[in-house]
Amino acid sequence: MVSSQKQLSMLFLPYLLLMLVQQMPCLATSRSSSLVALAGAGNQTVNEEVEALLTWMSKLDSGSRNTLSSWNGSNPCSWRGIDCDPLGSVANLSDSAIHGMLHHLNFPHLPNLVTLKLANNQLFGNIPPGISDLSKLTRLKLSRNNLSENIPTQLKSLRSLQLLDLRDNDLSGPIPIEIFSLSNLTELYLSVNKLSGFIPKEIGRPGSLRSLQVLDRRDNNLTGPIPNEIIGLSSLTGLYLSNNKLFGVIPQEIGRLKSLIFRHIADNRIDGPIPSSIGNMSSLLKLWLFRNQLVGSIPKEIGKLGSLSELDLSSNYLNGSIPTTLGNLSNLAFLYLYDNQLSGPIPLEVGGMRSLIHFQLLN
């Protein structure tokens, strides 16, 4: 019985080898067809990218076209301001000295774009909603242009976005709450615009902006209070809200932002006391609260901020004495307490602040 099975196996093996040899040309042909199909799809994408970029360039002014004079031919990887991925598709678009609009840029034909960096140009008009088609985009930098109108709500579709920089433009209207769903966003710059309305409470809801490290909304027309929900931004290192029209009190819970390094809330209408919980923000390097309507005494807990290099509480209504605990701030270089209602002696402990360069107490 065993001998018969061996004989059958020996007869079957040559037959199996013959079948494999016959199938090999088919397998090779199938693999070759797949590679051709992939190459064809890649060529089509590059062709669409070239068409999109050249069409946009043709709508710019003559000076911009001169700047982009290298944009010719069928290989965009050799063009100025263009970087490609390993497959030859456009991944980064970055340039300056461009005057025109973004409307004529066909975003769906740039499916592999990862970085769009067109800062320091003369772009005008609004930010096209179609920019949301750039599904792989991680960095969008359109700062220092003349862009106007509202921030499009469609930006919420850019799920991979890590940097959104729209500062130094003429953008207006409210900050759309839709962008707070960008959970991968680490830096959000909206300063020096004409944005208005409240800071939405959705800013700190669970799951929103969980990765945010820098929030910059200086120099706008924002109003209303600083929402308590802002404490939900647990990764925040920089909070810039100066020169707006914010009012109300500083939330007592603000001390939970222990990673905060820069806190600028100057030039607003914030009133009430400085919360004692501020002493918990042990990483703080700069604390700017000047030109507000703060009242009460300077909390002694500020003396716990051992890393602090700048403390500006000037032009408020603070009263009482200067706390002796300020003498613990051995790294403090700038101390501005002028234009308040402080009284009493200058603490002897101030003499131990060896890093102090500027100390102002006038008025």
Side-chain angles (χ1 to χ4, degrees), residues 42-58 70-79 82 84 88-90 104-106 109-111:
N43 288 336
Q44 182 181 353
T45 298
V46 172
N47 290 337
E48 290 177 347
E49 291 170 344
V50 168
E51 181 185 356
L53 293 169
L54 291 180
T55 299
W56 181 51
M57 183 183 71
S58 70
S70 65
W71 286 25
N72 59 74
S74 59
N75 180 18
C77 304
S78 63
W79 297 357
I82 301 288
C84 293
S89 186
V90 176
H104 302 294
L105 187 55
N106 194 336
H109 283 184
L110 298 168

Side-chain angles (χ1 to χ4, degrees), residues 101-103 123-129 142 146-152 171:
M101 302 175 70
L102 289 171
H103 275 284
L123 298 175
F124 60 93
N126 66 348
I127 300 172
L142 300 174
N146 299 311
L147 297 169
S148 58
E149 300 185 34
N150 293 0
I151 299 172
L171 298 169

Side-chain angles (χ1 to χ4, degrees), residues 197-214:
F198 288 13
I199 299 174
K201 292 183 178 181
E202 288 82 357
I203 192 171
R205 66 187 175 190
S208 68
L209 299 179
R210 63 186 177 211
S211 303
L212 197 67
Q213 297 175 13
V214 179

Side-chain angles (χ1 to χ4, degrees), residues 54-322:
L54 291 180
T55 299
W56 181 51
M57 183 183 71
S58 70
K59 304 295 183 180
L60 302 173
D61 70 352
S62 59
S64 302
R65 292 196 297 272
N66 288 333
T67 298
L68 303 176
S69 59
S70 65
W71 286 25
N72 59 74
S74 59
N75 180 18
C77 304
S78 63
W79 297 357
R80 167 179 167 150
I82 301 288
D83 292 318
C84 293
D85 62 21
L87 297 178
S89 186
V90 176
N92 302 315
L93 172 55
S94 168
D95 221 317
S96 57
I98 294 174
H99 183 276
M101 302 175 70
L102 289 171
H103 275 284
H104 302 294
L105 187 55
N106 194 336
F107 296 110
H109 283 184
L110 298 168
N112 297 311
L113 202 63
V114 176
T115 300
L116 180 58
K117 183 181 177 183
L118 294 174
N120 300 302
N121 283 289
Q122 298 180 50
L123 298 175
F124 60 93
N126 66 348
I127 300 172
I131 205 168
S132 61
D133 290 318
L134 302 175
S135 59
K136 295 183 180 180
L137 204 65
T138 61
R139 300 175 70 81
L140 176 57
K141 191 166 185 176
L142 300 174
S143 55
R144 299 181 183 90
N145 280 289
N146 299 311
L147 297 169
S148 58
E149 300 185 34
N150 293 0
I151 299 172
T153 59
Q154 289 84 353
L155 291 182
K156 67 180 180 181
S157 300
L158 301 177
R159 298 294 183 183
S160 300
L161 204 62
Q162 298 172 14
L163 167 69
L164 176 58
D165 189 351
L166 304 178
R167 58 187 151 182
D168 285 289
N169 280 289
D170 291 314
L171 298 169
S172 58
I175 299 169
I177 62 174
E178 287 81 2
I179 65 175
F180 298 149
S181 63
L182 299 175
S183 57
N184 290 309
L185 202 65
T186 58
E187 299 175 71
L188 176 57
Y189 299 98
L190 301 175
S191 59
V192 197
N193 278 289
K194 298 175 182 176
L195 299 172
S196 58
F198 288 13
I199 299 174
K201 292 183 178 181
E202 288 82 357
I203 192 171
R205 66 187 175 190
S208 68
L209 299 179
R210 63 186 177 211
S211 303
L212 197 67
Q213 297 175 13
V214 179
L215 176 60
D216 186 356
R217 299 180 178 182
R218 290 173 290 186
D219 298 285
N220 279 288
N221 296 314
L222 300 176
T223 188
I226 301 171
N228 290 334
E229 288 77 5
I230 205 167
I231 65 171
L233 304 178
S234 57
S235 300
L236 204 64
T237 59
L239 176 60
Y240 306 93
L241 299 175
S242 298
N243 200 18
N244 279 285
K245 298 176 182 177
L246 301 174
F247 57 79
V249 300
I250 300 173
Q252 177 66 30
E253 296 85 355
I254 200 82
R256 296 185 190 177
L257 298 178
K258 295 184 179 181
S259 299
L260 208 60
I261 297 174
F262 304 106
R263 179 180 167 190
H264 298 176
I265 314 181
D267 272 315
N268 280 288
R269 302 169 185 171
I270 303 295
D271 57 18
I274 300 172
S276 58
S277 66
I278 206 165
N280 298 328
M281 304 167 79
S282 55
S283 299
L284 211 58
L285 295 179
K286 295 182 181 181
L287 177 58
W288 293 1
L289 299 176
F290 60 86
R291 284 199 290 272
N292 276 291
Q293 300 173 16
L294 296 170
V295 298
S297 59
I298 300 172
K300 65 180 185 300
E301 287 80 4
I302 285 183
K304 298 179 181 179
L305 305 178
S307 300
L308 205 63
S309 64
E310 295 184 22
L311 176 60
D312 193 341
L313 306 178
S314 62
S315 300
N316 279 287
Y317 298 99
L318 298 171
N319 56 32
S321 59
I322 300 172

